């Protein structure tokens, strides 16, 4: 009785607008830029409404009409998405802003929001005939890929820096992936993956180098709308590495406008990075359209240890078009705010979540956040995955 979904109509280059076939495996566009999946939103506008979502399964597949997987039996499910949006009145009082919500992505399978992107990417890669997948990772993407690959019965090759948090390394191993540890950063790991892609035919699941991780992450935008009872917050603070989630939510808002769910208003989007690796913050402050790679990247927030991002121009566009900003936070402040957030909310956040709370305090002090703003803080992972890691500054 499972119904096939319409899926995407085509893929579109985010830089040139050129169109490509969505029904075969695709990487970057010929221009070397990310591809976005496009849907016939006009055709589903009448039926894919907020009211139609009521009573659907409490995971990201509730948004199946705007996801690329056509065959329901191709979905690889571990319970990804529809994480709680937690009202945090004591944290709001501490920060001195109107209302604070914590989107607790640490409750996803594998303890981070990477489950959303990799759940989609692995499902779609399998549906389109990939026989093995591979990716470089700062850690959490590797364990999410390992989990979904295991669930799908698809071999997974992961390359991570050797100083990746130990719990994540153990997790990747336990999930049966082929794991390589490398003395270097995620960008160095990317070179090893590229070799396997060229020589062994692995399908490359690197951030934004295939079109579907961003489709999984965009569901966070749909969830915020639903969980806030049909509206969006004033400000979204997002810990940014490759930026998939921020780019994904920005895409979701455009889709929601085309579907008639929202108007042209948007939340102010804020990128939060580590002081020891802040290429997007630097580019934002310089008014640049793209970001130069960060040298000697160092932070214990491994998800933020990303010196360069292929979607840099898309992140910067979203920050500027939304009236947002970009903030860098030193590691020791992340650690302080992990504790404050924990004591105020009951959520044991990853350092990336602590970074976002620390950034909110800075933005309240600078006046960017007003005393009546409604703010969503993304805690992107569970603190349990970083036990034993220490701030580097
Ligand atoms: C990967 C990761 C990030 C960065 O996410 P992007 O969407 O790539 O910017 C933030 N926090 C955690 C815990 C992560 O694993």
């Amino acid at each position: 009785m499972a119904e096939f979904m319409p899926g995407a109509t085509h893929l579109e280059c985010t830089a040139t607008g050129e169109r490509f076939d969505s029904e075969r495996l695709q990487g970057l566009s010929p221009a070397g830029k990310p591809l976005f999946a496009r849907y016939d939103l006009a055709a589903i506008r009448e039926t894919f409404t907020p009211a139609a979502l009521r009573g659907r399964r409490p995971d990201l597949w509730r948004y199946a009409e705007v996801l690329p997987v056509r065959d329901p039996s191709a979905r690889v499910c571990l319970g990804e998405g529809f994480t709680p949006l937690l009202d945090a009145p004591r944290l709001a009082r501490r920060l001195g802003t109107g209302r604070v919500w914590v989107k607790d992505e640490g409750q996803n399978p594998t303890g981070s929001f990477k489950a959303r992107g990799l759940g989609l990417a692995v499902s779609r890669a399998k549906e389109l005939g990939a026989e093995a997948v591979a990716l470089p990772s700062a850690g959490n993407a590797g364990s999410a890929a390992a989990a979904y690959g295991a669930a799908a019965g698809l071999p997974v090759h992961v390359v991570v820096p050797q100083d990746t948090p130990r719990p994540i390394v153990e997790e990747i191993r336990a999930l049966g992936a082929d794991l390589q540890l490398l003395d270097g950063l995620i960008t160095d790991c990317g070179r090893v993956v590229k070799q396997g892609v060229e020589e062994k035919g692995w399908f490359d699941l690197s951030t934004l180098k295939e079109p579907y991780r961003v489709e999984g992450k965009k569901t966070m935008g749909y969830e915020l709308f639903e969980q806030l009872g049909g509206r969006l917050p004033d400000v979204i603070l997002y810990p940014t590495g490759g930026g998939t989630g921020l780019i994904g939510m920005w895409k979701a808002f455009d889709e929601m406008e085309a579907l008639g769910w929202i108007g042209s208003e948007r939340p102010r989007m804020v990128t939060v990075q580590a002081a020891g690796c802040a290429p997007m913050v630097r580019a934002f402050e310089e008014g640049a359209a793209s970001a130069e790679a960060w040298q000697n990247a160092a932070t214990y927030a491994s998800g933020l240890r990303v010196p360069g991002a292929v979607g840099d121009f898309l992140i910067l566009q979203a920050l500027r078009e939304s009236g947002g900003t970009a903030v860098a936070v030193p590691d020791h402040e992340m650690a302080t705010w992990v504790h404050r957030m924990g004591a105020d909310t009951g959520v044991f956040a990853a350092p990336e979540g602590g970074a976002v709370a620390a950034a909110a305090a800075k933005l309240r002090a600078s006046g960017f956040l007003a005393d009546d703003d409604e703010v969503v803080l993304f805690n992107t992972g569970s603190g349990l995955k970083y036990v034993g890691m220490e701030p580097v500054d």
Side-chain angles (χ1 to χ4, degrees), residues 111-114 138-141 168 207 213 217 220 238-247 302-304 306 315 350-353 379-382 386:
S112 90
F113 71 161
K114 291 296 193 300
N140 284 324
I168 303 179
T207 299
R213 282 174 64 177
K217 288 247 187 112
M220 297 188 295
Y238 181 83
T240 307
T244 333
L246 188 135
I247 294 167
S302 52
L304 303 184
V306 181
I315 298 169
E352 293 85 347
N379 173 43
T380 45
S382 164
Y386 297 76

Side-chain angles (χ1 to χ4, degrees), residues 191-272:
R191 282 189 271 278
V192 176
V193 166
K194 190 156 180 269
Q195 202 176 350
V197 166
E198 282 161 9
E199 290 171 6
K200 302 191 180 113
W202 301 341
F203 183 64
D204 189 348
L205 293 182
S206 303
T207 299
L208 289 164
K209 289 192 182 162
E210 60 74 54
Y212 301 119
R213 282 174 64 177
V214 71
E215 292 301 289
K217 288 247 187 112
K218 84 177 178 191
T219 57
M220 297 188 295
Y222 284 92
E223 284 176 27
L224 288 183
F225 175 84
E226 259 203 290
Q227 292 175 321
L228 287 171
R231 57 189 173 81
L232 293 173
D234 297 312
V235 183
I236 295 175
L237 275 81
Y238 181 83
T240 307
T244 333
L246 188 135
I247 294 167
M249 284 190 279
W250 195 245
K251 179 176 190 283
F253 299 153
D254 283 347
E255 292 174 1
M256 286 157 58
E257 185 176 353
L259 289 164
W261 295 17
I262 59 172
S264 59
E265 71 286 358
R266 294 288 183 273
R268 281 128 70 203
M269 306 296 284
V270 179
T271 269
V272 180

Side-chain angles (χ1 to χ4, degrees), residues 278-294:
M280 303 311 306
V281 178
R282 183 173 63 190
F284 181 80
E285 286 172 354
E286 288 172 352
S290 61
E292 268 175 54
W294 190 271

